[in-house]
Every structure is written in C-alpha cells, then in structure tokens.
Amino acid sequence: MNRFINNPDYVVDDMIKGYVKAHSALVSQSTRNSHVVKYKNAPVKGKVGIVTGGGSGHEPAFLGYVGRNMVDAVAVGEVFSSPPAQAFYDAIIEADSGEGVACLFGNYAGDTMNVKMAQMMADEDEIIVKTVIANDDIASSPKETKEKRHGIAGGVFMWKVGGAKAALGGTLDEVIESAQKAIDNTRSICVGLSPCVIPAVGKPNFQIEDGKMEFGVGHHGEPGLKVEDIKLANEIAREMTDSILDDMDIEGGSEVSVIVSGLGSTPLMELYILYDEIEKCLKENEISVYKVFVGNYVTSLDMNGAALTIMKLDKELKELLDFEAESKGIEIH
C-alpha cells in the first residue's frame, strides 16, 4: 500500500520530529530522550506532574494530549509497542516539580510492566509516582473480570480529568482519585470495518472480509466479540450504545459525556451519522448528553471503524471536564 514514509523502521522518529516542529509553541522534545515529548513549560512549579505513554499509531493519542492543564510528558513507543521503562522514567523526570507524578496509562501488559520498572527507578530518586490504569474497553474482558480490560478512548477522559485536577492544585492522591473516578465511570466499544496496515510490515495484521464488521475489535486488531454482516449505521450505533449501557448499569436521569472517535480512515461524515442515533438511544433511556466530542481522538493507524466512549458524570467530573485545557488532541476554553 502507498504511504508517506521514508524508512519504515523510523516512522516514529520522523513523526516526533515533525510533531514538535509543527507544535513548537506548545510542546518540545525532551533532551533526555528523543521518544519523550513534554509540555513546553513542564515541570510546572507547585503542580502534580501528569505522565502517560503508549505505542504509536493511535494519534492523536498519546502525544496529542500533551499541553496546558493536560499531560505534562509522554513516553512514545514504536508502532503498537510499549515505550521502554527508560522512556517512562524520563517522562516522569520531565514532569516532576516535587509534588509527585501521576502516571495515567492503558491496561496493556508491556505498558504495565514498563511503568512499574520506571516507578522503581523514580523511587530511587525519591520521586513519588502513583498510577491509574484505563480499562474502559468492555469487549476485552467480561464484566466479572473488568480489571483485565484494555484501555482505549476512555483515556482521553482520564487525562482531561486528571490534568484539570492537577492544574487546580490537587495533591497527588486527589489527582489519582479523580482520574480513577473518571475511568471507573467510563466504558468504550469499537467496531471495525476494515483492518489497518503496520508500516514496517506492509500488509494488514488481521482480516475483516468485505461486507462484514467486527464488533468489539481491539485497537491493535485483537479479536472482537463477534463478526457479523455489515448493518445500517443506525443499527450499529444502537448496538454499541446498548452494549455500553448494559455494562454500566446507568440509571435514567444521568448525565454523560460522549466520544465518537474514528479509528483512522473513517470519514467524519459517518461519525456524525453514528452520533445522531447514539444520542437518540441515550435520550430514550432518559440519559442526557452534557458534552460530546466527535472526531479522531484515539485511532488505529488506517483502520476503518469507530469507537464509542461514554462517561457517566457527577458534579466534580463535569467541573473538571469543563476546565480550560490546550492540547492538539482536545482543547477546551
């Protein structure tokens, strides 16, 4: 397949160089580690540091959420691969102002292992690091073992809430508590219509037959809950919404925030078609939408598909969601 790349083995390095040049007013590349991108003013004096990280190919996640009142530093991994422990550690160093660091990341084995190693390294420097692990993907494990679930677009809400709490002067424990509340009240589901192509491989890493869709597909092509014939957009939207509502046990009268994210090659037109029916379905369940985000927020290279993410709100989460923030992935005034 045709791609705008140089050497397939250096696509991440080339992307980072272009990203920091394009957004130099907001971010910079760490002098400690070429695979760490930081907010230009980090560490912010008197503020808990916010760190995340993960594999490339999900842009704007993860580096797109570095910015003012958001993530302070991000460890950037190779395509669909965890950043090494050293990168997480260097991101922690870049974010630390002496108030501790909250590392907010997705539930994948490599990330979990490398963050733990980075925590041990930071502990030797007497830097306190605490974590929240996003596990919002309802298709990746049953409700009874939700601690095994992967993190997908729910991370956006976790970073937004945690970043706002830190910017408002919250302690490390308070930041962790708010970020954990955000992810505990968030659920996501993906539907894939066609697979993605990893640049270094040059061919799809899984298959979805023409005329089929994979309900619950993972962001790296992990098998979904079922493969079925493609349906009308309204039917897909309802199936996604109903699956999340069943898992959340959400009551009528609740308020939610919604993300409808493309997975890489999905036209915005189609995402808005999905959202129209998603909101109808929520209203039928007496659930009101407080804030909605439609666009590319967490992708999967060039996969054709969509992710639906719903966060149940309370007073605190609404206030933190509304707090001003500036990053390339999300901006709130």
Side-chain angles (χ1 to χ4, degrees), residues 239-263:
E239 188 173 2
M240 296 173 80
T241 308
D242 288 341
S243 295
I244 288 179
L245 296 184
D246 288 345
D247 194 272
M248 291 182 83
D249 298 323
I250 189 170
E251 62 275 5
S254 297
E255 286 185 293
V256 299
S257 185
V258 176
I259 297 173
V260 181
S261 178
L263 296 185

PDB file of all heavy atoms in Angstrom, residues 239-263:
ATOM      1  N   GLU A 239     -26.467  -0.792  18.679  1.00  0.00           N
ATOM      2  CA  GLU A 239     -25.810  -1.962  19.270  1.00  0.00           C
ATOM      3  C   GLU A 239     -24.646  -1.528  20.161  1.00  0.00           C
ATOM      4  O   GLU A 239     -24.443  -2.068  21.255  1.00  0.00           O
ATOM      5  CB  GLU A 239     -25.323  -2.901  18.166  1.00  0.00           C
ATOM      6  CG  GLU A 239     -24.800  -4.227  18.681  1.00  0.00           C
ATOM      7  CD  GLU A 239     -24.475  -5.203  17.574  1.00  0.00           C
ATOM      8  OE1 GLU A 239     -24.609  -4.841  16.380  1.00  0.00           O
ATOM      9  OE2 GLU A 239     -24.082  -6.337  17.897  1.00  0.00           O
ATOM     10  N   MET A 240     -23.873  -0.543  19.712  1.00  0.00           N
ATOM     11  CA  MET A 240     -22.760  -0.025  20.504  1.00  0.00           C
ATOM     12  C   MET A 240     -23.266   0.631  21.787  1.00  0.00           C
ATOM     13  O   MET A 240     -22.769   0.355  22.891  1.00  0.00           O
ATOM     14  CB  MET A 240     -21.949   0.985  19.692  1.00  0.00           C
ATOM     15  CG  MET A 240     -21.270   0.414  18.463  1.00  0.00           C
ATOM     16  SD  MET A 240     -20.498   1.681  17.420  1.00  0.00           S
ATOM     17  CE  MET A 240     -18.965   1.962  18.313  1.00  0.00           C
ATOM     18  N   THR A 241     -24.277   1.483  21.649  1.00  0.00           N
ATOM     19  CA  THR A 241     -24.806   2.204  22.813  1.00  0.00           C
ATOM     20  C   THR A 241     -25.426   1.248  23.821  1.00  0.00           C
ATOM     21  O   THR A 241     -25.167   1.349  25.031  1.00  0.00           O
ATOM     22  CB  THR A 241     -25.843   3.248  22.364  1.00  0.00           C
ATOM     23  OG1 THR A 241     -25.284   4.063  21.337  1.00  0.00           O
ATOM     24  CG2 THR A 241     -26.253   4.132  23.535  1.00  0.00           C
ATOM     25  N   ASP A 242     -26.242   0.319  23.336  1.00  0.00           N
ATOM     26  CA  ASP A 242     -26.891  -0.633  24.237  1.00  0.00           C
ATOM     27  C   ASP A 242     -25.866  -1.482  24.990  1.00  0.00           C
ATOM     28  O   ASP A 242     -26.044  -1.783  26.180  1.00  0.00           O
ATOM     29  CB  ASP A 242     -27.839  -1.545  23.463  1.00  0.00           C
ATOM     30  CG  ASP A 242     -29.095  -0.823  22.992  1.00  0.00           C
ATOM     31  OD1 ASP A 242     -29.408   0.249  23.546  1.00  0.00           O
ATOM     32  OD2 ASP A 242     -29.765  -1.334  22.075  1.00  0.00           O
ATOM     33  N   SER A 243     -24.795  -1.868  24.309  1.00  0.00           N
ATOM     34  CA  SER A 243     -23.758  -2.681  24.963  1.00  0.00           C
ATOM     35  C   SER A 243     -23.121  -1.935  26.120  1.00  0.00           C
ATOM     36  O   SER A 243     -22.889  -2.497  27.190  1.00  0.00           O
ATOM     37  CB  SER A 243     -22.683  -3.083  23.949  1.00  0.00           C
ATOM     38  OG  SER A 243     -23.213  -3.923  22.960  1.00  0.00           O
ATOM     39  N   ILE A 244     -22.849  -0.658  25.920  1.00  0.00           N
ATOM     40  CA  ILE A 244     -22.244   0.147  26.985  1.00  0.00           C
ATOM     41  C   ILE A 244     -23.222   0.371  28.127  1.00  0.00           C
ATOM     42  O   ILE A 244     -22.873   0.219  29.307  1.00  0.00           O
ATOM     43  CB  ILE A 244     -21.740   1.485  26.421  1.00  0.00           C
ATOM     44  CG1 ILE A 244     -20.482   1.244  25.568  1.00  0.00           C
ATOM     45  CG2 ILE A 244     -21.424   2.471  27.552  1.00  0.00           C
ATOM     46  CD1 ILE A 244     -19.917   2.493  24.936  1.00  0.00           C
ATOM     47  N   LEU A 245     -24.456   0.712  27.809  1.00  0.00           N
ATOM     48  CA  LEU A 245     -25.439   0.963  28.863  1.00  0.00           C
ATOM     49  C   LEU A 245     -25.697  -0.285  29.696  1.00  0.00           C
ATOM     50  O   LEU A 245     -25.862  -0.210  30.918  1.00  0.00           O
ATOM     51  CB  LEU A 245     -26.748   1.475  28.251  1.00  0.00           C
ATOM     52  CG  LEU A 245     -26.681   2.831  27.540  1.00  0.00           C
ATOM     53  CD1 LEU A 245     -28.064   3.245  27.074  1.00  0.00           C
ATOM     54  CD2 LEU A 245     -26.069   3.899  28.437  1.00  0.00           C
ATOM     55  N   ASP A 246     -25.717  -1.444  29.054  1.00  0.00           N
ATOM     56  CA  ASP A 246     -25.906  -2.702  29.793  1.00  0.00           C
ATOM     57  C   ASP A 246     -24.752  -2.958  30.752  1.00  0.00           C
ATOM     58  O   ASP A 246     -24.946  -3.475  31.851  1.00  0.00           O
ATOM     59  CB  ASP A 246     -26.030  -3.873  28.818  1.00  0.00           C
ATOM     60  CG  ASP A 246     -27.348  -3.877  28.060  1.00  0.00           C
ATOM     61  OD1 ASP A 246     -28.274  -3.150  28.484  1.00  0.00           O
ATOM     62  OD2 ASP A 246     -27.436  -4.580  27.037  1.00  0.00           O
ATOM     63  N   ASP A 247     -23.552  -2.582  30.339  1.00  0.00           N
ATOM     64  CA  ASP A 247     -22.380  -2.819  31.169  1.00  0.00           C
ATOM     65  C   ASP A 247     -22.281  -1.817  32.317  1.00  0.00           C
ATOM     66  O   ASP A 247     -21.795  -2.132  33.403  1.00  0.00           O
ATOM     67  CB  ASP A 247     -21.111  -2.743  30.316  1.00  0.00           C
ATOM     68  CG  ASP A 247     -19.892  -3.306  31.009  1.00  0.00           C
ATOM     69  OD1 ASP A 247     -19.221  -2.539  31.734  1.00  0.00           O
ATOM     70  OD2 ASP A 247     -19.624  -4.501  30.848  1.00  0.00           O
ATOM     71  N   MET A 248     -22.756  -0.593  32.088  1.00  0.00           N
ATOM     72  CA  MET A 248     -22.625   0.470  33.082  1.00  0.00           C
ATOM     73  C   MET A 248     -23.689   0.411  34.172  1.00  0.00           C
ATOM     74  O   MET A 248     -23.507   0.973  35.250  1.00  0.00           O
ATOM     75  CB  MET A 248     -22.704   1.850  32.410  1.00  0.00           C
ATOM     76  CG  MET A 248     -21.536   2.194  31.544  1.00  0.00           C
ATOM     77  SD  MET A 248     -21.674   3.866  30.837  1.00  0.00           S
ATOM     78  CE  MET A 248     -21.052   4.853  32.191  1.00  0.00           C
ATOM     79  N   ASP A 249     -24.832  -0.219  33.888  1.00  0.00           N
ATOM     80  CA  ASP A 249     -25.958  -0.196  34.836  1.00  0.00           C
ATOM     81  C   ASP A 249     -26.318   1.240  35.185  1.00  0.00           C
ATOM     82  O   ASP A 249     -26.514   1.598  36.347  1.00  0.00           O
ATOM     83  CB  ASP A 249     -25.621  -0.981  36.112  1.00  0.00           C
ATOM     84  CG  ASP A 249     -25.352  -2.446  35.819  1.00  0.00           C
ATOM     85  OD1 ASP A 249     -26.039  -2.999  34.950  1.00  0.00           O
ATOM     86  OD2 ASP A 249     -24.448  -3.015  36.455  1.00  0.00           O
ATOM     87  N   ILE A 250     -26.406   2.087  34.172  1.00  0.00           N
ATOM     88  CA  ILE A 250     -26.651   3.508  34.383  1.00  0.00           C
ATOM     89  C   ILE A 250     -28.149   3.772  34.508  1.00  0.00           C
ATOM     90  O   ILE A 250     -28.959   3.186  33.792  1.00  0.00           O
ATOM     91  CB  ILE A 250     -26.025   4.331  33.235  1.00  0.00           C
ATOM     92  CG1 ILE A 250     -26.081   5.816  33.534  1.00  0.00           C
ATOM     93  CG2 ILE A 250     -26.670   3.992  31.904  1.00  0.00           C
ATOM     94  CD1 ILE A 250     -25.257   6.650  32.553  1.00  0.00           C
ATOM     95  N   GLU A 251     -28.507   4.640  35.439  1.00  0.00           N
ATOM     96  CA  GLU A 251     -29.915   4.899  35.700  1.00  0.00           C
ATOM     97  C   GLU A 251     -30.419   6.099  34.892  1.00  0.00           C
ATOM     98  O   GLU A 251     -29.653   6.971  34.481  1.00  0.00           O
ATOM     99  CB  GLU A 251     -30.138   5.159  37.187  1.00  0.00           C
ATOM    100  CG  GLU A 251     -29.414   6.361  37.744  1.00  0.00           C
ATOM    101  CD  GLU A 251     -27.982   6.079  38.166  1.00  0.00           C
ATOM    102  OE1 GLU A 251     -27.502   4.947  37.937  1.00  0.00           O
ATOM    103  OE2 GLU A 251     -27.342   7.002  38.721  1.00  0.00           O
ATOM    104  N   GLY A 252     -31.736   6.143  34.662  1.00  0.00           N
ATOM    105  CA  GLY A 252     -32.349   7.265  33.994  1.00  0.00           C
ATOM    106  C   GLY A 252     -32.148   8.547  34.791  1.00  0.00           C
ATOM    107  O   GLY A 252     -32.086   8.525  36.020  1.00  0.00           O
ATOM    108  N   GLY A 253     -32.032   9.648  34.097  1.00  0.00           N
ATOM    109  CA  GLY A 253     -31.778  10.927  34.740  1.00  0.00           C
ATOM    110  C   GLY A 253     -30.303  11.275  34.828  1.00  0.00           C
ATOM    111  O   GLY A 253     -29.951  12.376  35.261  1.00  0.00           O
ATOM    112  N   SER A 254     -29.434  10.369  34.427  1.00  0.00           N
ATOM    113  CA  SER A 254     -27.991  10.611  34.486  1.00  0.00           C
ATOM    114  C   SER A 254     -27.550  11.534  33.348  1.00  0.00           C
ATOM    115  O   SER A 254     -28.210  11.649  32.311  1.00  0.00           O
ATOM    116  CB  SER A 254     -27.220   9.292  34.384  1.00  0.00           C
ATOM    117  OG  SER A 254     -27.500   8.443  35.463  1.00  0.00           O
ATOM    118  N   GLU A 255     -26.419  12.183  33.558  1.00  0.00           N
ATOM    119  CA  GLU A 255     -25.758  12.969  32.524  1.00  0.00           C
ATOM    120  C   GLU A 255     -24.474  12.272  32.123  1.00  0.00           C
ATOM    121  O   GLU A 255     -23.789  11.676  32.965  1.00  0.00           O
ATOM    122  CB  GLU A 255     -25.437  14.375  33.024  1.00  0.00           C
ATOM    123  CG  GLU A 255     -26.618  15.301  33.148  1.00  0.00           C
ATOM    124  CD  GLU A 255     -26.185  16.709  33.527  1.00  0.00           C
ATOM    125  OE1 GLU A 255     -25.700  16.874  34.658  1.00  0.00           O
ATOM    126  OE2 GLU A 255     -26.321  17.622  32.693  1.00  0.00           O
ATOM    127  N   VAL A 256     -24.126  12.362  30.846  1.00  0.00           N
ATOM    128  CA  VAL A 256     -22.924  11.706  30.348  1.00  0.00           C
ATOM    129  C   VAL A 256     -22.170  12.636  29.409  1.00  0.00           C
ATOM    130  O   VAL A 256     -22.719  13.613  28.889  1.00  0.00           O
ATOM    131  CB  VAL A 256     -23.256  10.395  29.597  1.00  0.00           C
ATOM    132  CG1 VAL A 256     -23.937   9.400  30.513  1.00  0.00           C
ATOM    133  CG2 VAL A 256     -24.110  10.673  28.361  1.00  0.00           C
ATOM    134  N   SER A 257     -20.896  12.312  29.205  1.00  0.00           N
ATOM    135  CA  SER A 257     -20.119  12.888  28.120  1.00  0.00           C
ATOM    136  C   SER A 257     -19.782  11.763  27.152  1.00  0.00           C
ATOM    137  O   SER A 257     -19.563  10.626  27.574  1.00  0.00           O
ATOM    138  CB  SER A 257     -18.845  13.546  28.644  1.00  0.00           C
ATOM    139  OG  SER A 257     -18.160  14.208  27.593  1.00  0.00           O
ATOM    140  N   VAL A 258     -19.760  12.084  25.871  1.00  0.00           N
ATOM    141  CA  VAL A 258     -19.627  11.069  24.827  1.00  0.00           C
ATOM    142  C   VAL A 258     -18.462  11.411  23.905  1.00  0.00           C
ATOM    143  O   VAL A 258     -18.275  12.575  23.531  1.00  0.00           O
ATOM    144  CB  VAL A 258     -20.928  10.964  23.999  1.00  0.00           C
ATOM    145  CG1 VAL A 258     -20.761   9.980  22.846  1.00  0.00           C
ATOM    146  CG2 VAL A 258     -22.100  10.556  24.886  1.00  0.00           C
ATOM    147  N   ILE A 259     -17.689  10.385  23.553  1.00  0.00           N
ATOM    148  CA  ILE A 259     -16.693  10.498  22.487  1.00  0.00           C
ATOM    149  C   ILE A 259     -17.065   9.503  21.394  1.00  0.00           C
ATOM    150  O   ILE A 259     -17.293   8.327  21.668  1.00  0.00           O
ATOM    151  CB  ILE A 259     -15.269  10.179  22.978  1.00  0.00           C
ATOM    152  CG1 ILE A 259     -14.807  11.174  24.045  1.00  0.00           C
ATOM    153  CG2 ILE A 259     -14.282  10.182  21.800  1.00  0.00           C
ATOM    154  CD1 ILE A 259     -13.469  10.802  24.680  1.00  0.00           C
ATOM    155  N   VAL A 260     -17.151   9.990  20.159  1.00  0.00           N
ATOM    156  CA  VAL A 260     -17.240   9.107  18.998  1.00  0.00           C
ATOM    157  C   VAL A 260     -15.964   9.337  18.199  1.00  0.00           C
ATOM    158  O   VAL A 260     -15.789  10.382  17.581  1.00  0.00           O
ATOM    159  CB  VAL A 260     -18.477   9.398  18.139  1.00  0.00           C
ATOM    160  CG1 VAL A 260     -18.539   8.423  16.955  1.00  0.00           C
ATOM    161  CG2 VAL A 260     -19.757   9.288  18.967  1.00  0.00           C
ATOM    162  N   SER A 261     -15.060   8.369  18.268  1.00  0.00           N
ATOM    163  CA  SER A 261     -13.743   8.519  17.643  1.00  0.00           C
ATOM    164  C   SER A 261     -13.612   7.628  16.424  1.00  0.00           C
ATOM    165  O   SER A 261     -13.955   6.443  16.458  1.00  0.00           O
ATOM    166  CB  SER A 261     -12.627   8.161  18.637  1.00  0.00           C
ATOM    167  OG  SER A 261     -11.351   8.259  18.016  1.00  0.00           O
ATOM    168  N   GLY A 262     -13.115   8.206  15.343  1.00  0.00           N
ATOM    169  CA  GLY A 262     -12.742   7.384  14.208  1.00  0.00           C
ATOM    170  C   GLY A 262     -11.504   6.573  14.524  1.00  0.00           C
ATOM    171  O   GLY A 262     -10.727   6.915  15.422  1.00  0.00           O
ATOM    172  N   LEU A 263     -11.306   5.487  13.800  1.00  0.00           N
ATOM    173  CA  LEU A 263     -10.152   4.630  14.060  1.00  0.00           C
ATOM    174  C   LEU A 263      -9.012   4.863  13.074  1.00  0.00           C
ATOM    175  O   LEU A 263      -8.012   4.159  13.117  1.00  0.00           O
ATOM    176  CB  LEU A 263     -10.577   3.156  14.054  1.00  0.00           C
ATOM    177  CG  LEU A 263     -11.569   2.761  15.150  1.00  0.00           C
ATOM    178  CD1 LEU A 263     -11.822   1.258  15.115  1.00  0.00           C
ATOM    179  CD2 LEU A 263     -11.073   3.184  16.525  1.00  0.00           C
TER     180      LEU A 263
END
